[in-house]
Every structure is written in C-alpha cells, then in structure tokens.
Amino acid sequence: MSTKNLYSDEAKKKLKELAESIDFCMMATHLNNQPFHVVPMSTKKVDDAGNIWFLSNKTSTHNKSIETDGKTHLIYSKTSSFEFLSVYGSASIRTDKTIIKKLYGNSDDAWFDGIDDPNISAIEVKPNEVYYWDTKNGKFVSLLKMVGGAITGNEPDLGEEGKIKI
C-alpha cells in the first residue's frame, strides 16, 4: 500500500466517504479504564466540519461514559472491500431537537419512539486523529494482487493508507 496523508477538504471528503459508506463502527468509550466500553453504532452523518454524528439513548452506558470523559475511539471495518477507518476523537452529547430531526431516519424507530422520544440524544464526535486504509480495487482484486506479489516477490500496489488531518 502506498501512503497518502490527506489534509483539509480532501481529508474531510475521504472521512465522509469512508464513514458513511461503511456505516457501522465499534464505538469505544471509557478509554481510561479497562475494559473499554464498546458498542456498535450506525453513523448518521459526517458534517462539513468532519464531525461524525450518531443517535443514542440518553441512559446508555456509552452516553454516561461520554458525559464523564469524552475520549472516544471509532473503528470502522468493511472487509468486503478492504476499507478501514480508525477515528480517535472527543465526543459530546447533544439534545437539540433540530439536530435530532436532521439525523433521524425510519430505521431509528426500532430503537426510539420517534423524534420526540424523551430518551433520544445525538452524539457528536470531533476527530483528533484519523487513519485510513482503502484499497483501489476491492477485496477480490487485492487478494489476486497479494498472490501475484507472493509469486513474483514484488510488492503489490493494494491501495492507499494514511493519516487524515482535518
């Protein structure tokens, strides 16, 4: 893989592309203690500033952890296309109904009683450090290139990896 660090608008575009296309991540909170609290979360949006948004229950363990210490680590993995994203950032809880309305979708009815559910909140994660791995051709072609590289001894060009600086 070649290394390509991304900055500013290009970085925000790559973060948005990966986080929204992969969708589900593992959100780790309570990072100063072991074990961390880890829960799967669905990305609702990556805004123009590069902040990542989720919906959550106000009484959840991860919300309580964020209220105590906002350090959060998001791990995205889409193995079908060899796309990966690691986001370390600062999370905060938002209860503004305008924000919640913008994030809420029909699938959220499985978790909440509509946008007026008194237990709904939004989580905003502001990235501090981001690293990505993104293949150019998907899993199958990447596997073929790895096999070819093993046979020839040449390092295959599998895609890009690098830091994202917002």
Side-chain angles (χ1 to χ4, degrees):
M1 284 209 160
S2 60
T3 300
K4 183 177 180 186
N5 295 328
L6 303 175
Y7 302 91
S8 194
D9 290 341
E10 185 181 25
K12 290 175 193 172
K13 181 179 175 184
K14 177 59 89 174
L15 175 64
K16 182 177 182 66
E17 171 193 321
L18 289 172
E20 290 183 352
S21 72
I22 297 172
D23 184 13
F24 281 91
C25 71
M26 295 303 293
M27 175 186 281
T29 58
H30 204 60
L31 299 182
N32 289 330
N33 299 304
Q34 293 182 359
F36 304 146
H37 179 264
V38 182
V39 62
M41 296 290 285
S42 176
T43 302
K44 301 312 280 180
K45 173 183 175 178
V46 178
D47 66 24
D48 293 338
N51 301 316
I52 305 169
W53 292 86
F54 305 90
L55 290 177
S56 181
N57 191 304
K58 288 180 185 178
T59 62
S60 67
T61 302
H62 49 279
N63 274 44
K64 290 176 184 174
S65 294
I66 290 168
E67 289 170 356
T68 302
D69 180 3
K71 293 178 192 160
T72 303
H73 194 176
L74 308 174
I75 308 287
Y76 289 86
S77 174
K78 188 174 187 179
T79 57
S80 63
S81 57
F82 273 19
E83 295 175 317
F84 306 94
L85 183 65
S86 172
V87 180
Y88 178 78
S90 302
S92 56
I93 308 297
R94 305 281 187 237
T95 56
D96 183 325
K97 288 293 181 193
T98 305
I99 292 170
I100 292 168
K101 282 181 184 179
K102 289 180 182 177
L103 300 175
Y104 200 91
N106 290 338
S107 63
D108 297 312
D109 288 341
W111 302 100
F112 303 104
D113 292 328
I115 58 173
D116 294 319
D117 187 323
N119 290 317
I120 194 170
S121 67
I123 297 174
E124 175 187 21
V125 177
K126 294 183 179 195
N128 296 330
E129 290 192 30
V130 182
Y131 204 86
Y132 76 100
W133 298 262
D134 189 9
T135 60
K136 294 179 180 179
N137 304 302
K139 185 177 185 176
F140 182 71
V141 173
S142 295
L143 290 172
L144 289 176
K145 286 183 175 186
M146 283 188 256
V147 169
I151 293 169
T152 65
N154 296 326
E155 186 175 332
D157 180 13
L158 299 176
E160 295 176 347
E161 65 175 301
K163 290 184 178 180
I164 293 178
K165 302 270 186 176
I166 297 178

Coordinates of all heavy atoms in Angstrom, one line a residue, residues 1 11 22-23 25 32 40 43 75 93 103 105-106 111 114 129 131 139 144 146 150 154:
M1 N 0.8 -1.2 0.0 CA 0.0 0.0 0.0 C 0.9 1.2 0.0 O 1.9 1.3 0.7 CB -0.9 0.0 1.2 CG -2.0 -0.9 1.2 SD -3.4 -0.2 2.2 CE -4.7 -1.2 1.5
A11 N -9.3 15.7 3.1 CA -9.4 14.8 4.3 C -10.8 14.7 4.7 O -11.3 13.5 5.0 CB -8.5 15.4 5.4
I22 N -19.2 2.8 5.0 CA -19.0 1.7 5.9 C -20.2 1.6 6.9 O -20.7 0.6 7.2 CB -17.7 1.7 6.6 CG1 -16.5 1.6 5.7 CG2 -17.6 0.6 7.7 CD1 -15.2 1.8 6.3
D23 N -20.7 2.8 7.3 CA -21.8 3.0 8.2 C -21.6 2.5 9.6 O -21.4 3.3 10.5 CB -23.1 2.3 7.6 CG -24.3 2.6 8.5 OD1 -24.3 3.4 9.4 OD2 -25.3 1.9 8.3
C25 N -19.8 1.2 13.0 CA -18.5 1.2 13.6 C -18.6 0.6 15.0 O -19.7 0.4 15.5 CB -17.9 2.6 13.6 SG -18.7 3.7 14.8
N32 N -10.0 5.4 29.6 CA -9.0 5.5 30.6 C -9.1 4.2 31.5 O -8.2 4.1 32.4 CB -9.1 6.7 31.5 CG -8.7 8.0 30.7 OD1 -7.9 7.9 29.8 ND2 -9.3 9.1 31.0
P40 N -21.6 -1.3 19.0 CA -21.8 -1.0 17.6 C -22.7 0.2 17.5 O -23.7 0.3 18.2 CB -22.4 -2.3 17.0 CG -23.0 -3.0 18.2 CD -22.3 -2.6 19.4
T43 N -23.5 5.2 11.8 CA -23.1 6.6 11.5 C -24.3 7.3 10.8 O -24.9 6.8 9.9 CB -21.9 6.7 10.6 OG1 -20.8 6.0 11.2 CG2 -21.6 8.1 10.2
I75 N -13.9 2.5 15.4 CA -13.3 1.6 14.5 C -14.3 1.1 13.4 O -15.3 0.5 13.7 CB -12.8 0.3 15.2 CG1 -11.9 0.7 16.5 CG2 -12.0 -0.6 14.3 CD1 -10.6 1.3 16.2
I93 N -22.5 15.0 24.0 CA -23.9 14.6 23.9 C -24.7 15.9 23.5 O -24.5 16.9 24.1 CB -24.5 14.0 25.2 CG1 -23.6 12.9 25.7 CG2 -25.9 13.6 25.1 CD1 -23.6 11.7 24.8
L103 N -31.0 14.1 11.9 CA -30.3 12.8 11.9 C -31.2 11.6 11.8 O -30.9 10.5 11.4 CB -29.4 12.7 13.2 CG -28.3 13.7 13.3 CD1 -27.6 13.5 14.7 CD2 -27.3 13.6 12.2
G105 N -33.9 8.8 11.1 CA -34.5 8.1 9.9 C -35.5 7.1 10.3 O -35.6 6.7 11.5
N106 N -36.2 6.5 9.4 CA -37.2 5.5 9.7 C -36.7 4.3 10.4 O -37.3 3.7 11.3 CB -37.9 5.0 8.4 CG -38.8 6.1 7.8 OD1 -39.2 7.0 8.5 ND2 -39.1 6.0 6.5
W111 N -35.4 1.7 17.6 CA -34.7 2.0 18.9 C -35.4 3.1 19.7 O -35.3 3.1 20.9 CB -33.3 2.5 18.6 CG -32.5 1.5 17.9 CD1 -32.2 1.5 16.5 CD2 -31.9 0.3 18.4 NE1 -31.4 0.4 16.2 CE2 -31.2 -0.3 17.3 CE3 -31.8 -0.3 19.7 CZ2 -30.5 -1.5 17.5 CZ3 -31.1 -1.5 19.8 CH2 -30.5 -2.1 18.7
G114 N -39.9 7.6 18.0 CA -40.0 8.8 17.2 C -39.0 9.8 17.7 O -38.4 9.7 18.7
E129 N -7.5 12.4 15.7 CA -6.5 11.6 14.9 C -7.3 10.6 14.1 O -8.1 9.9 14.7 CB -5.5 10.9 15.8 CG -4.5 11.9 16.4 CD -3.3 11.2 17.1 OE1 -2.9 10.1 16.6 OE2 -2.8 11.7 18.0
Y131 N -6.9 7.6 10.8 CA -6.1 6.9 9.9 C -7.0 6.0 9.1 O -8.0 5.5 9.6 CB -5.1 6.0 10.7 CG -3.9 5.6 9.9 CD1 -2.8 6.5 9.9 CD2 -3.8 4.5 9.2 CE1 -1.6 6.2 9.1 CE2 -2.7 4.2 8.4 CZ -1.6 5.0 8.4 OH -0.5 4.7 7.7
K139 N -11.8 -6.3 -2.5 CA -11.2 -7.5 -1.9 C -10.7 -8.5 -2.9 O -9.5 -9.0 -2.7 CB -12.2 -8.1 -1.0 CG -11.7 -9.2 -0.1 CD -12.8 -9.7 0.8 CE -12.3 -10.8 1.8 NZ -13.3 -11.2 2.7
L144 N -5.9 -11.2 -5.3 CA -5.2 -11.6 -6.5 C -3.8 -11.0 -6.6 O -2.8 -11.6 -6.9 CB -6.0 -11.4 -7.8 CG -7.2 -12.3 -8.1 CD1 -7.9 -11.8 -9.3 CD2 -6.8 -13.7 -8.1
M146 N -2.1 -9.8 -4.1 CA -1.3 -10.4 -3.0 C -0.7 -11.7 -3.4 O 0.5 -12.0 -3.2 CB -2.1 -10.6 -1.7 CG -2.3 -9.3 -0.9 SD -3.1 -9.6 0.7 CE -4.7 -9.1 0.3
A150 N 3.3 -12.5 -4.0 CA 3.9 -13.7 -3.3 C 4.7 -14.5 -4.4 O 5.8 -15.0 -4.1 CB 2.9 -14.5 -2.6
N154 N 7.4 -9.2 -5.9 CA 7.2 -7.8 -6.0 C 6.1 -7.4 -5.0 O 5.1 -8.1 -4.9 CB 6.9 -7.4 -7.4 CG 8.0 -7.7 -8.4 OD1 9.1 -7.6 -8.0 ND2 7.6 -8.0 -9.6

